[in-house]
Amino acid sequence: MAIGALHIAWAMGSTFPFRTRRALNDAVIGRQVAPGPTQCGAVALLLGTAAGAVARADRGRDPWSRTAAAGVAVVLAIRAAFGFAGRTSLLVPGSESPRFKRLDRCVFAPTCALLAAGAAGAAR
């Protein structure tokens, strides 16, 4: 949910936790052309939906929620694998800056891997 909230802040024009839009784009997107508010909002909505599905699966035995949580785990695991391999640009064309690639391997991919593990646990 926190990562979704951050995307909402970015959709509204915030550059948190960076000082400038240029620094945000370089670190988080890997290029200078930033997604617009609609795209940031869509990502926030997907992240919120994923968080809700995982939370619901963790609390009960609803097969649909467990299937959704498993899907979240798969998507996050794929994102982590591409990030660790330095190939995120295959999923998000243009994500090529050296700073992004470094942060992707050290921060974004490990975060996705941990979230994938949590979602997989909830799905079980």
Side-chain angles (χ1 to χ4, degrees):
M1 290 300 291
I3 297 169
L6 191 55
H7 280 78
I8 290 171
W10 292 339
M12 294 171 44
S14 174
T15 60
F16 178 83
F18 302 93
R19 293 177 57 98
T20 66
R21 174 67 57 187
R22 183 178 182 91
L24 170 69
N25 291 351
D26 186 44
V28 177
I29 303 165
R31 62 177 186 249
Q32 285 308 307
V33 178
T38 303
Q39 290 90 348
C40 287
V43 170
L45 179 64
L46 289 170
L47 289 168
T49 302
V54 171
R56 185 172 172 168
D58 194 41
R59 284 191 224 119
R61 300 201 179 274
D62 173 23
W64 293 108
S65 294
R66 293 175 68 197
T67 300
V72 169
V74 168
V75 168
L76 288 169
I78 290 169
R79 171 59 182 86
F82 276 77
F84 283 127
R87 305 295 293 188
T88 299
S89 63
L90 293 175
L91 299 175
V92 184
S95 298
E96 295 286 343
S97 83
R99 183 177 186 193
F100 171 80
K101 285 186 172 187
R102 181 176 37 79
L103 288 170
D104 197 21
R105 282 197 173 125
C106 296
V107 178
F108 307 143
T111 299
C112 287
L114 289 171
L115 291 171
R124 280 189 272 137

